């Protein structure tokens, strides 16, 4: 029989403790192109995922594949520079294992970020959306990260998700955004499998079911964070807008293929939003002790 999940988590924690004795209070997951946020972590110690037992390596361009432990805005944090995705061939359990590790390291709060396609008609490239709720499409279709035996030491069998995204943390983020004069959209994030982007018909479907942004991560991580009792704050950086236009008539001239690779565009747009998200997250961390 394979090692129990909680033993795997403990082995990973032990490996990380060899590198750093930081006891993080906050876990940060940095999405596509947002990994440079870690440069502002003071005394940051990097622990590559391949040095940690039971952690899958990150295989995606723009996702470095390491934890950084240190201090940000005077709070002990652990950041994931590069997350793990289902489309890399990992199970939902593997993609969310790092969240388990963060919890076991002591994190009470998880701040998730991602690059997402904007579906809400008002969204523009470069917007930051605070995630107020999600649609875990893969989970609804039978691929929930909590599928399988439940270890009560890690969390309850049935997890309430009525307030998956913490209202108090959200209100704090809104206040900080106001102080920074940074406009913040509020919306619902839909997680799909990827790696293919959506067809126009799929975008229209997502709009119908109430999604405001779409991406290939996050919802499963949030489910696991809530299972472990962490409080969650989430932000999507709108790196492109997904229009959901009907297919072009064949008679119409076809536009030239975009020179840029869409994944590259996602990384570029992420770079432009970094200062905003960084200021916002730092501001939230500064005021976090007020709500813990
Ligand atoms: N679709 C899915 N995932 C994404 C997108 C998108 O348009 N942009 C960034 N991640």
């Amino acid at each position: 029989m394979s090692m129990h999940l909680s033993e795997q988590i403990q082995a990973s924690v032990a490996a990380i403790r060899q590198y750093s004795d930081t006891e993080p209070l906050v876990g940060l997951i940095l999405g596509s192109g947002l990994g440079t946020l870690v440069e502002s972590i003071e005394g940051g110690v990097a622990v590559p995922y391949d040095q940690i037992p039971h952690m899958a390596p990150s295989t995606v361009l723009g996702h470095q594949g390491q934890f950084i432990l240190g201090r940000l805005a005077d709070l002990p944090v652990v950041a994931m520079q590069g997350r793990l995705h289902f489309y890399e061939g990992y199970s939902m359990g593997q993609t969310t294992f790092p969240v388990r590790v963060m919890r076991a390291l002591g994190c009470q709060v998880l701040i998730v970020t991602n690059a997402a396609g904007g579906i809400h008609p008002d969204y523009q490239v470069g917007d930051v959306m605070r995630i107020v709720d999600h649609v875990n499409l893969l989970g609804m279709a039978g691929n929930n990260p909590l599928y399988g035996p439940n270890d009560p030491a890690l969390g309850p069998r049935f997890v309430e998700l009525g307030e998956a995204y913490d209202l108090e943390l959200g209100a704090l983020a809104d206040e900080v955004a106001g102080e920074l004069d940074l406009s913040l959209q509020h919306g619902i994030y839909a997680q799909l499998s990827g790696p293919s982007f959506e067809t126009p018909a799929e975008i229209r479907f997502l709009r119908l079911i109430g999604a405001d942004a779409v991406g290939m991560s996050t919802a499963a991580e949030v489910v696991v964070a809530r299972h472990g009792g962490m409080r969650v704050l989430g932000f999507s950086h709108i790196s492109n807008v997904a229009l959901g236009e009907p297919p072009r008539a064949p008679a119409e001239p076809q536009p030239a293929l975009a020179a840029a690779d869409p994944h590259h565009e996602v990384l570029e747009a992420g770079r432009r939003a970094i200062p905003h998200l960084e200021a916002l997250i730092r501001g939230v961390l500064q005021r976090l002790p007020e709500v813990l």
Side-chain angles (χ1 to χ4, degrees):
M1 181 163 162
S2 67
M3 212 176 179
H4 282 113
L5 178 57
S6 51
E7 289 169 319
Q8 295 182 345
I9 297 165
Q10 285 315 319
S12 295
V13 166
I16 293 168
R17 295 255 191 258
Q18 300 282 311
Y19 287 78
S20 167
D21 55 13
T22 293
E23 293 192 357
L25 195 63
V26 180
L28 290 154
I29 302 182
L30 305 172
S32 278
L34 300 164
T36 55
L37 271 173
V38 302
E39 281 157 24
S40 28
I41 295 181
E42 294 147 40
V45 171
V47 188
Y49 298 158
D50 61 12
Q51 299 301 305
I52 305 171
H54 314 294
M55 274 282 298
S58 175
T59 67
V60 191
L61 179 71
H63 287 259
Q64 245 123 336
Q66 53 190 15
F67 281 115
I68 311 281
L69 292 100
R71 294 184 85 81
L72 190 56
D74 220 28
L75 287 179
V77 300
V78 54
M80 283 185 80
Q81 197 175 22
R83 60 150 55 85
L84 305 172
H85 304 83
F86 181 70
Y87 65 72
E88 293 175 79
Y90 300 137
S91 70
M92 281 301 175
Q94 283 174 301
T95 67
T96 56
F97 182 75
V99 177
R100 299 283 187 198
V101 172
M102 288 174 157
R103 180 75 190 104
L105 283 167
C107 291
Q108 293 175 27
V109 171
L110 179 69
I111 302 181
V112 280
T113 66
N114 59 48
I119 297 175
H120 191 290
D122 293 347
Y123 288 6
Q124 290 178 356
V125 171
D127 280 357
V128 176
M129 178 186 95
R130 179 162 74 72
I131 306 173
V132 297
D133 204 348
H134 73 217
V135 181
N136 180 8
L137 276 167
L138 300 173
M140 292 172 78
N143 211 334
N144 190 292
L146 305 179
Y147 175 82
N150 185 60
D151 181 350
L154 298 177
R157 169 76 290 184
F158 300 104
V159 182
E160 296 279 348
L161 292 175
E163 194 190 319
Y165 297 82
D166 193 274
L167 293 178
E168 207 178 1
L169 293 181
L172 176 62
D174 291 351
E175 264 183 57
V176 171
E179 287 162 12
L180 295 172
D181 206 17
L182 198 153
S183 72
L184 201 53
Q185 305 283 10
H186 292 163
I188 296 170
Y189 177 90
Q191 176 176 3
L192 273 61
S193 155
S196 52
F197 288 105
E198 300 70 38
T199 64
E202 286 164 349
I203 293 299
R204 290 195 298 276
F205 164 77
L206 292 168
R207 196 181 286 169
L208 275 174
I209 65 168
D212 299 304
V214 58
M216 306 172 189
S217 67
T218 304
E221 296 158 352
V222 171
V223 169
V224 167
R226 293 301 301 140
H227 183 245
M230 295 166 88
R231 295 170 69 184
V232 176
L233 181 62
F235 301 104
S236 288
H237 169 248
I238 304 302
S239 57
N240 58 287
V241 285
L243 296 173
E245 282 167 346
R248 233 166 252 281
E252 254 181 82
Q254 295 295 309
L257 279 177
D261 147 34
H263 187 70
H264 179 76
E265 274 177 43
V266 170
L267 297 182
E268 268 305 309
R271 276 184 202 107
R272 286 198 294 275
I274 286 167
H276 293 164
L277 255 182
E278 181 173 326
L280 183 55
I281 290 172
R282 189 193 296 274
V284 167
L285 291 176
Q286 270 161 1
R287 293 190 47 193
L288 200 60
E290 294 172 25
V291 297
L292 288 185

